[in-house]
Amino acid sequence: MLRRVLALAGGTALACAAALAIATPAHAATEDAVVSPLSIGDYCHQKIASWSWIGFYKLHGLACYGGYNGDQYAGGVYPENVCAFHYPNRVLVTTLRGPSESLICRLSV
């Protein structure tokens, strides 16, 4: 009788451990890379308008500006495109708004 109880308890413990191993997702390690407004401007200059040279993270994405004072709107761009431009061989997890309207590319390690 004791052997049956021990075998049943051991089997139950093993099944619970397997279920927890399957149910708990593995957390990938990430790294945050900050892209400054001038670096966003590099993308804007090459992909949006040749006269644009600065970009800011606004409410719904990135905005490119240029002209003499940097106050002329050149167009908008998706943050994911800028991260792919600066980190072409990395996997992007998400994008975030950083200090001074910079862009944070959260990349998997």
Side-chain angles (χ1 to χ4, degrees), residues 35-87:
V35 181
S36 72
L38 289 177
S39 294
I40 296 168
D42 290 340
Y43 177 89
C44 294
H45 178 73
Q46 291 187 23
K47 303 289 184 177
I48 302 300
S50 61
W51 52 269
S52 63
W53 53 272
I54 193 163
F56 297 106
Y57 200 117
K58 297 295 184 182
L59 185 60
H60 296 293
L62 301 177
C64 299
Y65 294 91
Y68 181 71
N69 293 327
D71 59 354
Q72 293 178 344
Y73 179 73
V77 63
Y78 292 111
E80 294 83 5
N81 294 349
V82 176
C83 290
F85 176 78
H86 286 289
Y87 305 100

